[in-house]
Amino acid sequence: MSRPARTASRTRTTSESSVELHLDLDGTGVGRIDTSVPFFDHLLTAFAKHSLTDLTVRASGDTDIDVHHTVEDVSIVLGQAVAEALGDKSGISRYGDALVPLDEALAQAVVDVSGRPYLVHEGEPSGFELHLIGGHFTGSLVRHSFEAISFHAALTTHVRLVSGRDPHHIAEAEFKAFARAFRQAKAFDPQVIGIPSTKGAL
């Protein structure tokens, strides 16, 4: 059965940042990422690889003030592009669940392509949100990125840190778990006919 390409291209320009993004949900995990925020590049590259999404991002912003604006705007655009590429969601699995370790860190993510944006994010150790990972990426931006992606892609997302100590490992495990869960949720299920909802729409 031939299916339409699940691709999207999006741009966003504000006084704080400029973002150009292209994705293919049925890719092989190729990431070409340059957000001008090195640790965020690392996380998005992991997302592309482990969700099997081809993702190209070029972004710049007022990182001399704070990386917050650039991370937020890239996450908004990524969520919008995911929503566009998913289309009417016909034939997809809809749900995904993944448990991913990274050394001492263990993270779980559950994704529902529900059409209802919601985020539950819990379990990070006290002080994580204040830690500067790589000297420039505040731990609080991990949650903020998940919020922006989930809201603009209309995903219900649960991310739970089961255990972890190193802030780099925690952030990366969470993004990889999210990627693996999204990979399952966006996948086509040959047993699903039409929209996987009793409402007939997602």
Side-chain angles (χ1 to χ4, degrees), residues 6-109:
R6 296 195 296 173
T7 62
S9 295
R10 286 271 178 160
T11 61
R12 176 182 170 92
T13 302
T14 72
S15 61
E16 298 168 340
S17 72
S18 177
V19 181
E20 297 180 4
L21 183 148
H22 177 79
L23 61 74
D24 181 353
L25 293 182
D26 300 306
T28 59
V30 176
R32 299 181 179 89
I33 317 294
D34 182 5
T35 68
S36 72
V37 182
F39 188 68
F40 195 42
D41 291 354
H42 182 59
L43 295 179
L44 291 179
T45 299
F47 169 78
K49 174 65 72 175
H50 294 283
S51 69
L52 294 183
T53 298
D54 289 347
L55 179 63
T56 300
V57 183
R58 296 288 178 268
S60 60
D62 55 359
T63 55
D64 55 319
I65 297 173
D66 195 329
V67 304
H68 180 104
H69 296 146
T70 301
V71 171
E72 177 179 59
D73 288 346
V74 169
S75 299
I76 288 171
V77 174
L78 177 56
Q80 291 172 338
V82 166
E84 179 183 340
L86 282 169
D88 69 0
K89 310 177 186 77
S90 179
I92 66 168
S93 294
R94 177 177 168 178
Y95 299 101
D97 180 7
L99 194 64
V100 172
L102 179 56
D103 295 350
E104 88 297 343
L106 180 65
Q108 182 181 29

Side-chain angles (χ1 to χ4, degrees), residues 61-161:
D62 55 359
T63 55
D64 55 319
I65 297 173
D66 195 329
V67 304
H68 180 104
H69 296 146
T70 301
V71 171
E72 177 179 59
D73 288 346
V74 169
S75 299
I76 288 171
V77 174
L78 177 56
Q80 291 172 338
V82 166
E84 179 183 340
L86 282 169
D88 69 0
K89 310 177 186 77
S90 179
I92 66 168
S93 294
R94 177 177 168 178
Y95 299 101
D97 180 7
L99 194 64
V100 172
L102 179 56
D103 295 350
E104 88 297 343
L106 180 65
Q108 182 181 29
V110 180
V111 171
D112 176 8
V113 184
S114 62
R116 297 184 306 278
Y118 203 91
L119 174 69
V120 176
H121 183 236
E122 58 191 8
E124 292 171 346
S126 176
F128 172 82
E129 70 279 7
L130 304 176
H131 189 90
L132 281 177
I133 305 171
H136 66 282
F137 188 92
T138 310
S140 62
L141 290 174
V142 175
R143 177 188 176 90
H144 194 52
S145 180
F146 286 142
E147 284 177 332
I149 295 168
S150 298
F151 182 85
H152 290 277
L155 306 176
T156 297
T157 304
H158 287 245
V159 178
R160 178 172 65 102
L161 183 71

